[in-house]
Amino acid sequence: MAKQVIVLDNGASAIKVGIARKDPEPRIIPNAVVRSKGDKMTYFGHEIARCKDYSSLHYRLPFEKGYLVDWDAQKAVWDGIFSDEVLGVDTTQSSLLITEPYFNLPNIQDTYDQLIFEEYEFDSYYRCAPASLVPYGNLFSQPGLPPPDCAIIIDSGFSFTHVVPMIDGKVVWNAVKRLDVGGKLLTNQLKELVSFRQWNMMDETYIMNQVKETCCYVSTDFKRDSEICRIDPKHNPIVQEYILPDLSTNRKGRVRLPDDIITETDQILVMNNERFTVPELLFRPDDIGIDQAGLPFTIAHCISLLPSDLQGMFWANIGLIGGNTKFIGFRDRLLSELRTLAPVDCEVVICECDNPITEVYESAYQFALQASFAQHVVTRAEYAESGSNASRRKFRDWKPQESEKEKIREASAKVKGKQQQREDDRSQAPTKLTRTRSTRAGAGTSSASTTTRRR
C-alpha cells in the first residue's frame, strides 16, 4: 500500500499544506505564534483564525532573515497542522515533501532531518528549494508547446526576492541572485511612513499588512505619479481612504467607497503616495539605503552569468511566483524595464500564474503524484543507517560538488542538442515539399534539383 504524501510549502509568512490525491487546493496557515494583547491569548498557526482582537498582536516567527531558527515555534505550528484540527494524519505512516530556503545552511538542514525523522517519525521525506518544483507545474505551460529547457524564476516572498535560473529542470546555483527586499520589509516600511505622517501603527503589523495588500501597487511611471501626489496631496486620482477595522464590532478594514457613510467612530487612514513608494523598493532598494541593484538589473546580471548561446532562451522564459508579484502593475513595470536591458535580438516574455502564492504547492502536488517521486525521497531506514549523510547524497542543493560544473555543461549540451534537433525537423519539412513540386514539373527538373541539394 502506497504511503500518503503530505505536501508542505513551508513559507516564512504562510504555510501551504495539503495531502496528495486529496487536496489540490492547499490550506493556507500563518507560520507564526501570535500573542494578542487584547484578549491575552496565544494562538499557534491555524488557531489565529479564531482571534477576535487583532489590535497590537505580538508575532513570534520561526523564520528570521530567511532562515528557520526558532524550532520550538515551528514545531508548535507543525503540531497543529498534523493534528486532527487540520490534516489529521499519522506521520509514521506518511511521506513528506517540504520546501526549504534557498542557500539553506548545513546545520539547519541537519535539524530538519532530526525533527522529521526523530520527532515526527515520518516514513520518508523529500526536501528542496521552492523554484526546483516549478517545472512540474503549469507556470510555463503553453498549448501545443513543450516546457522550456531554460527559464528564470522570480521568487519574491516574505524575507527576500530570489532570481533563480534553471536549465533542464535543475537550478544553476552559481548564478542565483538574492535581493534583500521582501514582504516583511515592505510592511515595516509602510508602518514607519504611516506612523510618521498619520496614526501610530508600529504595533499593528497585522492591520498594516492588510492595508499593504489592499492599497499598494507598482507604478509604471513613478515620476508622473509622484508629481500628481505633490501638486494636490488630498484630491487626486491616486489617493485612497482606508477605513481601519473596528475591533469593538468585529468589523474588518476596507477601502472607503464613494457611497460609504462615515460615522464618528470610524478611523480613516489616507493612503497617498505610500501606495506606490513602498513597492518601489523592489525596483529601487537604494531609496532606503540598501546597497543593491533593483530587480530588473539583478535579473540582467543573473542572465549574463549563464552560457552565452542560451541567454536568449532565458530572456524569453521568465516566471513570477511569490506574494509580492501580486502587486498591480508589477509585471508591466518589470517587463518595460527588462526590455531596455535585454539585447536587441532577444524577446522578453514574462509568464504569470493564477495564484503566485500557491504555485509552488500546486507544482509540488503534481510532483508528489508522479511514480518517480518514491525514488527521490530519503527513507527512515536510510536515515537510521547513515544519518544526515543520506539526505546530502540524495538532495541536490547549492553546496558545490566536484562534478557540478560538468553537470551544468552536460545540461547545456543537452539543451543545445534539443534545439538543433528542432531546427533540423523544421528544415526537413520544406525540403520534402520542394521535391514534390519539382517532380510534378518534370523528371529532369526533379533530378537536377535533388542533385543540387545533395551537394
Side-chain angles (χ1 to χ4, degrees), residues 3-4 6 89-96 112-126 373-374 376-391 393-395:
K3 305 286 184 183
Q4 67 177 356
I6 299 171
V89 294
D90 180 2
T91 56
T92 62
Q93 300 298 318
S94 304
S95 183
L96 177 67
Y112 272 90
D113 297 340
Q114 293 169 14
L115 194 66
I116 287 167
F117 282 126
E118 298 178 19
E119 186 69 32
Y120 291 108
E121 298 182 345
F122 274 96
D123 182 73
S124 60
Y125 99 114
Y126 179 73
F373 173 72
H376 295 83
V377 301
V378 170
T379 65
R380 191 165 61 212
E382 291 173 336
Y383 177 78
E385 180 180 349
S386 306
S388 291
N389 288 327
S391 300
R393 285 195 296 266
K394 273 204 171 182
F395 301 156

Side-chain angles (χ1 to χ4, degrees), residues 218-220 222 280 283-284 294-297 300 315 331-342 348:
V218 175
S219 173
T220 54
F222 186 81
E280 183 70 14
F283 297 84
R284 292 289 304 273
L295 182 56
F297 288 96
W315 284 108
R331 180 187 177 276
D332 295 338
R333 169 72 176 276
L334 184 61
L335 182 62
S336 66
E337 294 203 12
L338 286 179
R339 280 175 175 161
T340 64
L341 300 173
V348 180

